[in-house]
Amino acid sequence: DLPDDVAESVASLHKDVRRLVGSKGDDAPVVIIHRREGRTFDELSLQRLTLSFRKLHRRVVVWTCCQTQAEHIQLFATASAVVGWPGAGLVNTVFSFQQLCVLEITTKNGLTET
């Protein structure tokens, strides 16, 4: 359970997000977080990951942090799933006010020895 003040803040945030985006609808995307700095997927891995999710889901969006703030919020608020490395990118799931699947990718030996 969240403390009352945190729960109230999250509820207020979700109310604002609903006002901005409406509901998820039938075209809720799978979002793959692909930042250009820090931990990121190499091009072959990104391509394979995208193709794998497209077999399961009709809409896959690769998020590169280049959208407007409103587009950014709408994308994460309407996502059915979010895939990415641990860190700041996954914090965007706070905008989702409905059920959401999060797949956090990690490595055992670092990026060059996965």
Side-chain angles (χ1 to χ4, degrees):
D1 290 332
L2 294 173
D4 288 342
D5 58 337
V6 174
E8 289 172 15
S9 295
V10 171
S12 180
L13 171 70
H14 288 169
K15 182 179 176 183
D16 289 342
V17 170
R18 279 190 198 95
R19 194 172 30 244
L20 176 68
V21 302
S23 64
K24 283 189 179 187
D26 294 332
D27 199 26
V30 170
V31 177
I32 299 173
I33 299 171
H34 183 60
R35 297 172 61 139
R36 298 289 181 203
E37 53 199 43
R39 290 172 292 194
T40 188
F41 300 108
D42 62 60
E43 289 304 317
L44 181 59
S45 297
L46 179 63
Q47 183 181 42
R48 288 179 176 171
L49 191 59
T50 302
L51 290 173
S52 294
F53 277 104
R54 284 205 174 117
K55 289 179 184 176
L56 302 171
H57 200 278
R58 65 177 164 239
R59 185 168 172 230
V60 177
V61 176
V62 177
W63 181 69
T64 59
C65 308
C66 297
Q67 295 84 359
T68 67
Q69 188 175 22
E71 291 168 333
H72 172 154
I73 292 169
Q74 182 166 7
L75 179 62
F76 282 91
T78 60
S80 60
V82 177
V83 180
W85 294 96
L90 287 176
V91 170
N92 292 299
T93 59
V94 73
F95 296 120
S96 181
F97 52 87
Q98 297 178 10
Q99 189 173 11
L100 176 70
C101 177
V102 176
L103 178 60
E104 185 176 62
I105 305 290
T106 61
T107 63
K108 180 179 178 184
N109 297 320
L111 293 175
T112 58
E113 300 175 37
T114 56

